Amino acid sequence: QVQLVESGEGLVQPGGSLTITCSVSGASFNLYHLAWYRQAPGKQRELVARIANYGHTSYADSVTGRFTISVDIAKKMLSLVMNRMKPEDTAVYYCNVERVYDRVKYWGQGTQVTVSS
């Protein structure tokens, strides 16, 4: 059974940095795409960054050049390093894995990230 547990919730000042992580169990990384989504109050959940099972990374335009997604296969950990953060980055961030062969998605419980002075 796939289980995702996020950590790294925090309050950051504008311009600051934060790293959030997701511990992944029950999923072989070569069979899943991994991603971070976020949902701000009153808005739809949106894709932030994605790393395909073959390693290709992609980012939302709003975070390109500021956020970096990475995977530590040995630790079974997905990370999102967020730099030069803006108030509009405030949201609940969700870890996601998508099984390649049938596109079934699994979600973490979410972690709150707040950017405010």
Side-chain angles (χ1 to χ4, degrees):
Q1 183 171 350
V2 177
Q3 289 188 315
L4 309 174
V5 180
E6 296 107 334
S7 61
E9 174 175 315
L11 170 64
V12 184
Q13 290 191 340
S17 299
L18 185 70
T19 298
I20 55 177
T21 61
C22 175
S23 177
V24 181
S25 61
S28 296
F29 285 9
N30 62 323
L31 301 178
Y32 289 80
H33 304 312
L34 309 174
W36 287 99
Y37 285 73
R38 68 186 181 188
Q39 188 166 18
K43 294 189 175 182
Q44 289 190 329
R45 191 172 297 189
E46 63 173 354
L47 177 64
V48 175
R50 180 176 179 269
I51 183 164
N53 65 324
Y54 51 88
H56 177 72
T57 58
S58 57
Y59 298 90
D61 290 343
S62 59
V63 307
T64 297
R66 300 188 298 121
F67 289 12
T68 302
I69 187 172
S70 64
V71 169
D72 185 324
I73 295 175
K75 293 183 179 179
K76 306 210 77 174
M77 190 81 67
L78 177 69
S79 298
L80 185 69
V81 176
M82 302 180 284
N83 296 317
R84 304 197 308 278
M85 296 187 73
K86 305 175 182 180
E88 50 263 44
D89 294 323
T90 296
V92 177
Y93 283 70
Y94 295 92
C95 176
N96 166 271
V97 299
E98 178 184 335
R99 195 159 53 203
V100 173
Y101 81 88
D102 61 1
R103 307 192 69 177
V104 169
K105 286 184 166 66
Y106 298 89
W107 297 91
Q109 80 283 2
T111 188
Q112 177 69 48
V113 173
T114 304
V115 184
S116 175
S117 55

